[in-house]
Amino acid sequence: MAIKITRGSGNVFTDVGFPPEEAANLQLRSDLIIQLRKRLAVLGETQTEWAAILGVSQPRVSDLLRGKIERFSVDTLVAFLGKTGAEVRLTVRAKTQAA
C-alpha cells in the first residue's frame, strides 16, 4: 500500500485550512513566540522571573508557554521581545508565483 505524501505550503496554518491572511498572521505570531521563548530561556529560569522581565502576571507567561497564540497580538509579542533586549525587524516581499 503506497503512502500518499502531500508537500506542505510552508505555513502549517494554511495547510490546516485557515484563510491566507489569517494563516499569515498566525504564522507571524508563532514565529515571534518561538523567538521570545528562546530569549526568555536565556534570561531566567522560572515563569515568575519571566513575568518580571515582561511586566506581566505569571498566568500570562503560562499562557505564552502553553501556546495560547490567540491571546497575544503581534504588537504585544514585539513589545515583549523588546523587553528582552531584542530588536525586531520585519521583511515584506512580493508573493512568489506558482509555476
Side-chain angles (χ1 to χ4, degrees), residues 51-95:
I53 292 166
L54 300 178
V56 297
S57 66
Q58 178 276 321
R60 188 86 164 127
V61 172
S62 179
D63 287 343
L64 182 71
L65 296 176
R66 293 173 60 208
K68 302 232 174 185
I69 194 170
E70 71 280 358
R71 295 190 181 184
F72 299 95
S73 68
V74 170
D75 288 348
T76 298
L77 295 168
V78 169
F80 285 171
L81 280 160
K83 290 179 180 185
T84 69
E87 177 182 1
V88 179
R89 293 181 180 227
L90 177 67
T91 302
V92 178
R93 62 178 178 252
K95 292 181 182 180

Side-chain angles (χ1 to χ4, degrees), residues 9-23:
S9 69
N11 182 327
V12 68
F13 300 104
T14 299
D15 295 343
V16 297
F18 284 95
E21 294 79 15
E22 187 175 359

Side-chain angles (χ1 to χ4, degrees), residues 3-60:
I3 297 174
K4 182 180 178 186
I5 298 174
T6 303
R7 183 174 302 275
S9 69
N11 182 327
V12 68
F13 300 104
T14 299
D15 295 343
V16 297
F18 284 95
E21 294 79 15
E22 187 175 359
N25 184 278
L26 288 166
Q27 183 67 55
L28 177 58
R29 286 189 282 159
S30 176
D31 292 343
L32 291 169
I33 287 172
I34 289 167
Q35 292 305 314
L36 180 58
R37 290 177 68 176
K38 287 178 182 178
R39 293 198 55 84
L40 287 170
V42 172
L43 297 174
E45 294 183 7
T46 68
Q47 289 186 20
T48 302
E49 290 172 325
W50 293 4
I53 292 166
L54 300 178
V56 297
S57 66
Q58 178 276 321
R60 188 86 164 127

